Each structure stands twice: as C-alpha cells, then as structure tokens.
C-alpha cells in the first residue's frame, strides 16, 4: 500500500511528475563565477568553448592540491541533469582521473552531486548529476567542480570543456524551487517537534504543531507514542503494533534485514528418472505463473547440444521435451545463445550461438531466430537471418529480455561471429517488435546521441528489465581484455542512459565479473547476482568465486549475502550436497512468486580437466524475518519494558508471574542475545532500591560495579522518570516502520557544531 509522505500541512501540494522530469533536456548557459587559481593563459573561461584541437583551450589550475576548484553560475535557476567533459584530441596527463561536482542555490551552500573520474582518452564523457533526494527535486544556480587527482602524478589539473543539460523552463523550475524550500522549512519544524516531544515539553510541542499544522508522523505512530510513552498503556501499544502488522507496514524494515541463504540440492526422485546431462553455456527460462523451468542447449565439453527440457516444481521432476530440437522442426545445437520467455503469450524465444573459429569456414554464419509455443509444443523459425531484416548479426554471449506488456524484445551486446576470428565487433542495442515482426537498432558504439552517456557494448554481461519503471539494467561483462564493474540504466521511453556507477567494486559491490548471472524481483525492488569469472581489485588474475549479492534499486546499495573463499576439489567434494561449487557459464533463474532461485550446471574451471562440465541442480531460498517475526520481537521489547516497571511496584510475585508467562511467550530462544537479555531480567526482581516520593520505582544498570540490593551484577533501582525509558523504547519501535511514516531520523542537537 502507498504511504503518505509527512512534513506537509493539511493542504495537499502537487509535486513535479516523473513525466515532467523526463522532458527533453536542453543545453544550459552559464558563466564563470569563481576559481581557485589558473596557470599562464589557461583561464577558466576557456572551458566555455569546445576546441579539442587547441592545446591551450582549457582551464589549468595553478597547483595540484585538492583545494582547487572552479565554480560556474547558470544563466537561470535550473534542474541540472547531466554534465559533459570535453577533452583534448589526444591523451593528456592533466585530465581529471578523479573529481567531484557540487551544486546549490548559493556558492557557499552546496551538496555533492557526483563523484567520478574521466578516462584518459580523447572521447568526451557525460555524467548524470543527482537532482532528486527524498522524492524532492532540487534546482541549482551554481555548479562547482573540484579536481582531486590528475592522470599524471604531480601534474596540475586541466578541464577542456564543460557543457550541462537540464530543464530551465521557468514554470517547472519555479515549482521545484518552491517545493524544495518548503521541504526544508517543514523538516526544520519537524525536527523541533521531535526534540520537544523527546524532552517531554508537551505544551510546547502541541503549540508548535497547532501553529504550523504539520504532522510529525503517521497518526498510527502518534497514537502509539501516546499509549506507550505518555500513558504507559502497554496492552494498547501491542494492539497498535498488531494493527501495523495487519497493514503490512513492516516490509521496509524486513527489506533492510540481511538475507540468510539456504541451498538445497535437487536430486532425482528415483534411479530411473532422466535428467539433463553435464553442460555449460546452456540457457534457462522460467514461467512465473506455473513455476516451470525450461532448459535448452549448451556445451558438454566436446560438442554443442540441442536437447530441450522442462522442470516442474510441483512434481520435482524433469521432462525431456526433445532430445534433438531439429527433429521437431526447431533450432540446431548451440551454446552461448540466449532464450527468454514471454509469460503473457507463453512463447519462448531463442537467438544467437557460438561457432568455433576452426568451424566457421564450413558453417552457416547466418543469425537464425526461433520461437517455441509452450501450449502447442511447436517450434517456428521467425527469421533465417536477422541481419538481413535490420536485426543483429550472428552473436554470442549477448543478453535478451522481453517487455511482455508492449510485446518487445530487447537484445544488447554480444560479439558478432565473422569468418575472421581476429575481428572483434560488438553488437549494439536492438528492439524487436513481436507484433510487427520488425527490428530497430537503438544504439551502437559508434552511433549514440551527442553529449549523452555512452552505453558501450560488451559480452558476458547482465541485463535485466524492470516493467514497473520501464528500464533496462546493464552491468559487468567483458570488453576487449577488460573485465567490467560498471552499471548503467537505460530509460526505454526517453531513450536515455544513466551511469549509476563506473566501478561498483569501489562502492561495496562485487569485483569486476564476466558470465555472472543476475535475476530481478521488482516487487522487492532488488536484483540478485551470482558470481562467475571474476577479476580481483588490483590484479589481472582470473578467479572463479562463490559469492552471492543483492542490490537494492531504490537505495543504490550492494549487500553481500555470502562468499565462500575456499578453493580446491578436495574441499568442494565434501560440500557436494550442501552448497554449489564455484563455476562460470552456469544458468540461474528466479521464481518471483515462490521466491526461489534455481541454478544448473556450468564450468567449474578445473585446470586439470578443462572439458569438465557440471550437471548439478540447486534451489536457493533467501530467508529474512517474516512480519510475524517482527511482531513477536516488537512485543518482546514492549513486555520487557512493562516488566521493568512492574519491578518498581510492591508486588514482585506479580512481576515474576508476568515474566514467566506473558514475557516468556514472546522470547526467541534461538536468538542468543535475546535469550541472554531475557535471562538477565530476573535480576530486576531483586533490585529493590529506595522508593521515590510517588512510590514508583524503575530500573537501570548501576553506574558502579559491585554488590547492590542483592545483585552481583550491580543492578539497582532509581527514581528516573519512566518517560525517558519509554521514549527510548518508542524510538526502537520506529525502526520497524517506513521512513515515510515516522519522525525524522536526525536529531536537533546533532546540528549544533562545536568547532
């Protein structure tokens, strides 16, 4: 369900739509505002004119320390989308290997928009600039470029040309500016509201809230604070937590919890069951409606295969649909091809194949394109040669996905097969209209829009389609001899490329990889990556690693689920039934309804047996807490606080009974820390300290060690107002709720700077 965004008054304000933000950007005019220094005649104004042949047409700093900068003032307040760095027509030691870009409304208050670097070549480079945060668009009037490192050691920094593109239309920008200012003003007030309530200045809190008409949080959380903190009605607080669970409000918290991987090897149910043989370079696809998995082709170490299989999750058995698809009017043997399944029409498409260089003089090198009808069980040749119809040449190690709603296939990358094996030609991005049977070349390495982010072709990469945002995610792979760890997003409707990361291995992601396998869950907003061939940082050595990663799309964050560093056949033979061994050229598919990954086969990379391929079949569950788990834990925290306060009353037997029944019922004894916390609670029963004037007692750890009130651990009672302890508990409860519902995470006191 959609959550309300808090921080606005009672009147609903309209925000800039995604469609408006995706309007065609325009070139933005600017002037030079200020600079740190410049050497000789290399004045900052030189960057306003693009003269790649002129060695003097650049800004060059007077020093190479990291205090250098150049600040640009835009002609008009604008939403800046991209910045382009022009270059000299030759490699140059003063090019920026690393830099930052800042932006803001004033030259003295800016935020970081980009941290990246230029390649040391002659090709202009375009970068996306951050222009949206917390669902709020922020315009800029000033842009500041801060060089950090040049390609030549001890050389000064040079910038040859700068061009920016974005939106400067006054009606759009003025609206964005107003929303941005209002957002900041409202956040200041909400921080004050949070501070006053935490300190129990409730009269001031209510006065400010009434004056501003601002909501600090969702009404459910306001009521939770009232019952839990103000009134101390723990039963009512539990009822509200129950309501939150019923409204499915814990999903954001659950998505932040680390996954626990659980592998299960799928074995034949009996000795007579037939299963696919050993192979690598095969292809798999899954029908998310019925969970059936389809496997076609591959290389068994000596020859290409043309067998076709399906696996039924319900019966847990393989079915051989064809030992040789040629006999059923289908494609011939192949490996390093691609298949994808259209869940809407139940059609399976396959394109491409690898041809060994020695075989190319005697083999048809035309690009055949096939479709398999799952319901009818029949093959159909769509095209004998897609290149003659505006499609790709015969390619291998490419990627193919389907937009089921629009009935369009997207094919990107791969290497073209040509009679000359020394010729390297990478295939571009193609779109195939299924309805119209028509190919369209969208982009190539040599044909991309000017001053746009370049989407370079590659092989062995990953490409995923997000039907919600209508975007393609392209990352990793190999180009020439380079293993890549870059990540690009292609917006289909606007034909726009965004560079998410030039090297995500430096941002906590996987090492550069080739033939890794990726799957996506758009409901969770995550995609998953199982490693293949990898090249470690600062090394040219290729390795095969067992690592599994998850990427949070919204938060742009990589998380390693697990990695097994062990190598050697002796170790992995002991793990044969527990975890799949490292491999590449394998296949991985994901069932988004049943939340399972399926892995089959691959090449283990055995140097002593290079033709060895695998035929093991695995399923993987990624386990996170369930809403019931979160509800139980929240109840544990609430009941623990209630018990502590009961210990301050004059009926310890009542508190003991509550501990043994109500509180014990919500303890997870499999959680060592939680079990330990529960056992230690018994000490509060004997921590009988002096009674306050009002007769209330609360408990807290003693400031000094030693024996106190009969407790060896030093626990004692004090007369601290329970409001503080309950407020801390409330803050802990907020961790289970989405940011869109809760008070700001920051604290007002943290904004005070001492130095």
């Amino acid at each position: 369900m959609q959550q309300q965004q808090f921080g606005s008054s009672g009147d609903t304000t309209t925000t800039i739509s995604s469609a408006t933000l995706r309007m065609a950007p325009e070139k933005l005019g600017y002037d030079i505002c200020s600079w740190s220094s410049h050497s000789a005649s290399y004045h900052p104004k030189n960057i306003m004119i693009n003269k790649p042949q002129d060695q003097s047409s650049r800004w060059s700093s007077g020093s190479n320390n990291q205090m250098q900068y150049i600040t640009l003032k835009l002609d008009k307040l604008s939403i800046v989308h991209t910045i382009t760095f022009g270059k000299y027509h030759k490699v140059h030691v003063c090019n920026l290997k690393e830099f930052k870009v800042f932006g803001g409304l004033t030259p003295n208050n800016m935020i970081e928009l980009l941290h990246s670097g230029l390649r040391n070549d002659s090709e202009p480079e375009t970068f996306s600039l951050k222009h949206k945060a917390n669902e709020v668009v922020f315009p800029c009037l000033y842009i500041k470029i801060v060089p950090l490192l040049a390609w030549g050691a001890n050389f000064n920094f040079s910038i040859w040309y700068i061009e920016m593109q974005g939106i400067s239309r006054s009606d759009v920008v003025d609206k964005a500016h107003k929303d941005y200012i209002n957002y900041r003003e409202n956040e200041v007030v909400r921080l004050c509201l949070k501070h006053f309530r935490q300190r129990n200045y409730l009269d001031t809190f209510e006065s400010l809230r009434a004056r501003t008409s601002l909501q600090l949080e969702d009404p459910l959380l306001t009521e939770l604070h009232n019952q839990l903190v103000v009134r101390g009605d723990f039963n009512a607080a539990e009822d509200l937590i129950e309501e939150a669970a019923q409204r499915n409000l814990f999903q954001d918290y659950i998505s932040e919890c680390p996954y626990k991987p659980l592998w299960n090897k799928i074995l034949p149910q009996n000795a007579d069951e037939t299963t696919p043989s050993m192979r690598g370079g095969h292809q798999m696809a899954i029908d998310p409606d019925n969970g059936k998995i389809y496997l076609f082709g591959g290389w068994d170490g000596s020859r290409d295969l043309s067998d076709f299989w399906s696996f039924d999750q319900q019966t847990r058995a393989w079915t051989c649909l064809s030992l040789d698809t040629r006999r059923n009017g289908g494609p011939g043997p192949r490996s390093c091809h691609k298949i994808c399944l259209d869940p809407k029409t139940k059609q399976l498409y396959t394109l491409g194949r690898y041809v060994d260089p020695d075989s190319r003089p005697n083999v048809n090198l035309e690009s055949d394109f096939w479709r398999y009808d799952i319901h009818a069980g029949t093959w159909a040749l769509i095209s004998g040669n897609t290149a003659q119809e505006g499609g790709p040449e015969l390619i291998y190690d490419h990627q193919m996905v389907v937009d089921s709603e629009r009935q369009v296939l997207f094919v990107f990358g791969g290497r073209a097969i040509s009679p000359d094996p020394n010729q390297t030609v990478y295939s571009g991005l193609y779109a195939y209209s299924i309805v119209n049977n028509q190919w369209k070349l969208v982009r190539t390495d040599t044909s991309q829009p000017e001053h746009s982010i370049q989407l370079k072709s590659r092989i062995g990469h990953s490409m995923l389609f997000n039907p919600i945002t209508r975007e393609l995610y392209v990352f990793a792979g190999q180009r020439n001899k380079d293993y890549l760890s870059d990540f690009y997003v292609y917006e289909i409707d606007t034909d726009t490329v965004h560079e998410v990361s030039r090297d995500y291995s430096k941002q906590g992601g996987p090492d550069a990889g080739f033939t890794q396998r990726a799957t996506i869950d758009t409901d969770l907003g995550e995609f998953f990556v199982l490693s293949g061939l990898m090249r470690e940082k600062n090394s040219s050595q290729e390795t095969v690693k067992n690592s599994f990663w998850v990427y949070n799309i919204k938060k742009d964050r990589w998380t390693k689920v697990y990695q097994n560093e062990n190598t050697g056949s002796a170790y992995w033979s002991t793990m044969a039934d527990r975890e799949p061994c490292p491999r590449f050229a394998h296949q991985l598919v994901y069932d988004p309804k049943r939340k399972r990954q399926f892995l089959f086969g691959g090449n283990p990379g055995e140097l002593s047996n290079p033709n060895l391929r695998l035929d093991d079949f695995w399923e993987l569950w990624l386990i996170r807490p369930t809403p019931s788990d979160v509800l139980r834990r929240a109840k544990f925290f609430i009941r623990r606080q209630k018990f502590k306060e009961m210990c301050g009353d004059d009926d310890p037997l009542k508190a003991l009974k509550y501990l043994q029944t109500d509180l014990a019922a919500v303890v997870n004894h499999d959680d060592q820390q939680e079990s330990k916390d529960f056992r230690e609670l018994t000490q509060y029963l004997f921590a009988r300290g002096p009674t306050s004037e009002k007769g209330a007692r609360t408990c807290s750890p003693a400031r000094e060690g030693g024996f106190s009130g009969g407790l060896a651990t030093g626990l004692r009672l004090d007369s601290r107002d329970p409001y503080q302890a309950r407020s801390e508990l409330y803050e802990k409860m907020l961790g289970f709720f989405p940011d869109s519902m809760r008070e700001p995470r920051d604290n007002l006191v943290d904004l005070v700077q001492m130095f």
Side-chain angles (χ1 to χ4, degrees), residues 228-514:
L228 180 62
V229 181
V230 180
R231 299 182 59 187
D233 189 335
F234 298 104
N235 292 334
E238 284 196 24
D239 291 341
L240 290 168
I241 293 296
E242 291 266 11
E243 179 184 341
Q246 293 171 5
R247 290 170 56 183
N248 205 28
L249 298 179
F250 299 148
Q251 288 306 315
D252 279 25
Y253 168 79
I254 291 172
S255 70
E256 293 293 308
C257 296
Y259 278 118
K260 177 183 177 182
L262 180 62
W263 285 102
N264 176 51
K265 191 172 187 179
I266 303 176
L267 299 170
Q269 296 179 343
N270 55 69
D272 298 329
E273 183 179 337
T274 305
T275 60
S277 60
M278 297 180 178
R279 66 193 68 204
H282 50 293
Q283 284 296 298
M284 287 166 56
I286 190 168
D287 185 341
D289 294 328
N290 59 27
K292 281 193 175 181
I293 299 169
Y294 296 88
L295 184 153
F296 172 55
W299 171 264
D300 69 359
S302 60
R303 63 187 178 94
D304 281 327
L305 305 172
S306 58
D307 52 346
F308 186 33
W309 299 77
S310 71
F311 177 80
D312 191 320
Q313 290 189 52
Q314 291 186 335
T315 64
R316 310 289 287 179
W318 285 100
T319 299
C320 182
L321 302 175
S322 175
L323 286 173
D324 185 351
T325 48
R326 288 174 297 186
R327 299 177 183 176
N328 305 105
R334 60 195 60 212
S335 60
C336 303
H337 51 301
K338 283 293 171 286
I339 66 173
C340 66
L341 187 147
D342 178 4
K344 183 177 181 180
T345 62
K346 305 302 180 187
Q347 305 290 307
L348 194 73
Y349 296 88
T350 183
L351 175 73
R353 67 184 188 278
Y354 178 72
V355 180
D356 187 84
D358 294 337
S359 304
R360 293 179 189 179
N362 306 313
V363 174
N364 178 5
L365 299 183
E366 294 181 345
S367 176
D368 52 344
F369 182 32
W370 295 83
R371 177 177 61 238
Y372 177 76
D373 187 312
I374 293 175
H375 290 314
T378 56
W379 287 96
L381 179 64
I382 302 173
S383 173
N385 188 1
T386 55
Q388 292 182 350
E389 300 171 2
E393 302 280 346
L394 179 61
I395 53 178
Y396 69 95
D397 280 347
H398 49 294
Q399 285 295 329
M400 181 168 65
V401 296
V402 61
D403 178 351
S404 187
E405 181 183 351
R406 304 286 180 90
Q407 288 294 286
V408 175
L409 288 172
F410 292 95
V411 180
F412 175 66
R415 184 172 173 177
I417 298 284
S418 66
D420 182 3
N422 296 317
Q423 184 181 13
T424 300
V425 177
Y426 293 102
S427 186
L429 175 62
Y430 288 86
Y432 172 73
S433 171
I434 296 172
V435 176
N436 300 323
N437 187 27
Q438 186 175 6
W439 287 96
K440 176 185 177 183
L441 177 59
V442 180
R443 284 176 179 241
T444 68
D445 280 358
T446 57
S447 176
Q448 302 206 27
E450 187 180 11
H451 299 317
S452 68
I453 296 171
Q454 305 294 293
L455 181 60
K456 295 291 187 181
S457 295
R458 72 270 316 270
I459 62 172
H461 52 292
S462 294
M463 181 171 74
L464 301 167
F465 172 62
N466 188 335
I468 298 175
T469 60
R470 294 193 44 73
E471 295 173 330
L472 298 177
Y473 304 135
V474 178
F475 56 95
Q478 183 181 26
R479 182 177 173 88
N480 299 321
K481 295 183 179 180
D482 297 327
Y483 276 27
L484 306 174
S485 54
D486 53 358
F487 178 19
Y488 295 89
V489 173
Y490 175 71
E491 290 183 1
I492 295 171
D493 295 335
T494 61
D495 185 30
T496 304
V497 176
H498 300 285
E499 183 180 75
V500 178
S501 176
R502 182 159 296 186
D503 185 357
Y504 50 68
S505 69
K506 295 179 179 179
Q507 300 166 335
D511 290 334
F514 172 68

Side-chain angles (χ1 to χ4, degrees), residues 475 504 507-510 527 529 549-551 556-560:
F475 56 95
Y504 50 68
Q507 300 166 335
F527 63 73
V529 179
W549 297 76
V550 59
Y551 176 79
D556 183 23
R557 186 179 63 213
W558 290 95
T559 303
K560 185 192 297 182

